[in-house]
Amino acid sequence: MMQSLLVAPGVNDRTVLPFKLEDKDALMRSIVDGGARSAFFVLDLGRVVELHRRWQRALPGVRPFYAVKCNTDPGLLGALAALGAGFDCASRREMEAVLALGADPGTCIVYANPCKPEAHVRYAAQAGVNLTTYDSEFEVDLGIKYGARADEVVPLLRAAQHAGLNVAGVSFHVGYGGPRTDVYEAAIQAARAAFDAAAALGMPPMRLLDIGGGFAATAALFDEATAVIRAALARHFGDLLPRVEVIGEPGRYFAETPFTLAARVIGKRVRGEAREYWIDDGIYGSLNTVVTDGYVPRPRALAAASVPGEETYASTVFGPTCDSLDTVVTGYQLPEMSIGDWLLFDDMGAYTTACASNFNGFSAASDINTFLAYST
Ligand SMILES: *Cc1c(COP(=O)(O)O)cnc(C)c1O
């Protein structure tokens, strides 16, 4: 598997650093020793492979269409394409990013956006992207924008029928609510009702069920959600599978855990026992996810030589901008650090660089290097 990833577009022109999973900090240290002077990411492609395996085991036959908006790193996109994933794209730029890696527009892209600018629709059509789904609690794809409540399904199907449009199937996205796994059962049941409504109207059989995203990478939550989905698919679609193709649109599931952020200490203040540090990434950069996506930062110092039992101090860590909101952690126990030292943040791939701003002249999305690595 590693070999096919190494030659994938998005990966093949970059160095991939092999490492043992338990030696991640040593890998981070070697990048620092190799001359890193500002914040950087490491993307572990081995972790992406592992997540893909886990997806296939938990949802056999359900092809993941990775939600590109979550993290657009070309290494991640290229690796997922090599693994056989498709892509959920919401804009022209996202379709371009995926097509640039050689993805087949006809089979690898769902253009999933509830509100499409005309120029983007034209681009999609001209590029050969022929499947579009929509982002709301429960929607039916009629080729143009229609969000559907359950009582609107039949009128919408009729409208499509009259317009001669091809209704490919049903798509829903439950959003990210953590452990609300029961919502999948209700959504899949409602989707089946739409399939039956179409059949009752004498429409050609629908062939696609898109179960959306919102999957957590946390093993317990993922296992719980996928168990609910497997049961609901068997209960409500057992007679239609495998003629009906089931796809999903995971974003954070694939992007969150493979990325580790290293941020550099660029400022320090000592007030009695308290320690205050400034680092070169923050709430307006990749760590916006603390505010926007509920990420709980648990940084650890990348020590030159970590001393067991070392004294720690209640520390505040600020981001680099001049806004006092730009505070990453407060009262957090850290060993004494100096300017030039590093803090590591795990699981930093979901809605991080993708949502970063360049407020105050700091640009996380374009200024932060990503190193590719492969854990074994
Ligand atoms: C954002 C989005 C996803 C991905 O959501 P995650 O919580 O990252 O899995 C999937 N489908 C649609 C329609 C989305 O808008």
Side-chain angles (χ1 to χ4, degrees):
M1 184 38 73
M2 180 169 177
Q3 224 41 43
S4 65
L5 282 206
L6 292 183
V7 298
V11 177
N12 59 14
D13 53 349
R14 295 159 76 182
T15 304
V16 178
L17 309 161
F19 73 107
K20 288 255 172 293
L21 201 49
E22 60 275 20
D23 293 339
K24 185 164 83 173
D25 289 10
L27 170 75
M28 306 303 281
R29 167 56 54 193
S30 73
I31 293 171
V32 166
D33 292 345
R37 286 292 169 272
S38 58
F40 62 90
F41 279 104
V42 165
L43 162 54
D44 176 8
L45 297 173
R47 175 78 188 153
V48 179
V49 171
E50 177 52 34
L51 286 163
H52 186 258
R53 261 193 217 120
R54 186 137 68 81
W55 175 280
Q56 285 182 310
R57 271 199 307 267
L59 294 170
V62 179
R63 187 180 179 200
F65 280 66
Y66 167 68
V68 173
K69 73 167 186 286
C70 187
N71 190 316
T72 58
D73 184 281
L76 177 63
L77 299 181
L80 285 168
L83 290 165
F87 298 93
D88 158 359
C89 299
S91 65
R92 173 177 181 152
R93 185 76 61 84
E94 288 185 0
M95 288 184 269
E96 285 172 343
V98 165
L99 293 172
L101 297 170
D104 172 25
T107 57
C108 296
I109 294 182
V110 175
Y111 178 14
N113 191 321
C115 188
K116 300 172 177 64
E118 184 182 330
H120 296 220
V121 179
R122 286 191 190 288
Y123 170 79
Q126 161 256 311
V129 175
N130 58 20
L131 188 63
T132 183
T133 60
Y134 298 84
D135 174 3
S136 78
E137 283 297 304
F138 182 67
E139 289 175 340
V140 179
D141 177 3
L142 304 182
I144 51 173
K145 181 190 174 190
Y146 288 96
R149 295 196 304 265
D151 61 334
E152 296 170 334
V153 168
V154 168
L156 287 170
L157 289 172
R158 283 220 176 88
Q161 205 173 21
H162 289 143
L165 289 170
N166 174 22
V167 183
V170 173
S171 167
F172 63 80
H173 172 49
V174 300
Y176 184 62
R180 302 166 24 232
T181 50
D182 52 315
V183 295
Y184 286 106
E185 157 65 25
I188 288 169
Q189 181 175 21
R192 176 59 199 251
F195 273 65
D196 291 344
L201 289 170
M203 301 173 75
M206 297 207 278
R207 58 179 172 82
L208 189 67
L209 172 64
D210 179 351
I211 61 172
F215 299 91
T218 316
L221 287 179
F222 183 71
D223 291 347
E224 190 184 318
T226 51
V228 170
I229 291 167
R230 279 195 310 272
L233 287 176
R235 187 173 312 125
H236 302 295
F237 279 87
D239 56 329
L240 295 183
L241 300 172
R243 188 179 58 70
V244 169
E245 184 189 359
V246 185
I247 66 172
E249 297 174 350
R252 69 187 66 247
Y253 172 77
F254 278 113
E256 182 174 291
T257 52
F259 286 83
T260 305
L261 171 71
R264 196 169 195 217
V265 177
I266 58 170
K268 176 174 179 177
R269 189 161 61 190
V270 176
R271 282 187 169 155
E273 279 301 290
R275 300 289 180 272
E276 296 175 327
Y277 302 102
W278 280 255
I279 58 173
D280 60 353
D281 195 357
I283 299 301
Y284 286 92
S286 332
L287 286 156
N288 76 83
T289 181
V290 172
V291 175
T292 57
D293 206 44
Y295 175 84
V296 180
R298 293 189 191 85
R300 60 183 187 281
L302 179 63
S306 159
V307 189
E310 189 177 18
E311 198 170 349
T312 61
Y313 300 86
S315 306
T316 296
V317 177
F318 298 113
T321 72
C322 297
D323 186 350
S324 56
L325 175 79
D326 196 357
T327 305
V328 179
V329 288
T330 52
Y332 190 88
Q333 291 296 323
L334 287 169
E336 179 95 46
M337 293 190 300
S338 308
I339 291 173
D341 283 349
W342 297 80
L343 278 180
L344 304 184
F345 298 81
D346 291 318
D347 304 336
M348 269 292 291
Y351 305 104
T352 49
T353 41
C355 304
S357 78
N358 53 12
F359 175 58
N360 231 181
F362 298 95
S363 178
S366 52
D367 293 351
I368 301 190
N369 243 325
T370 297
F371 294 87
L372 297 185
Y374 199 110
S375 62
T376 50

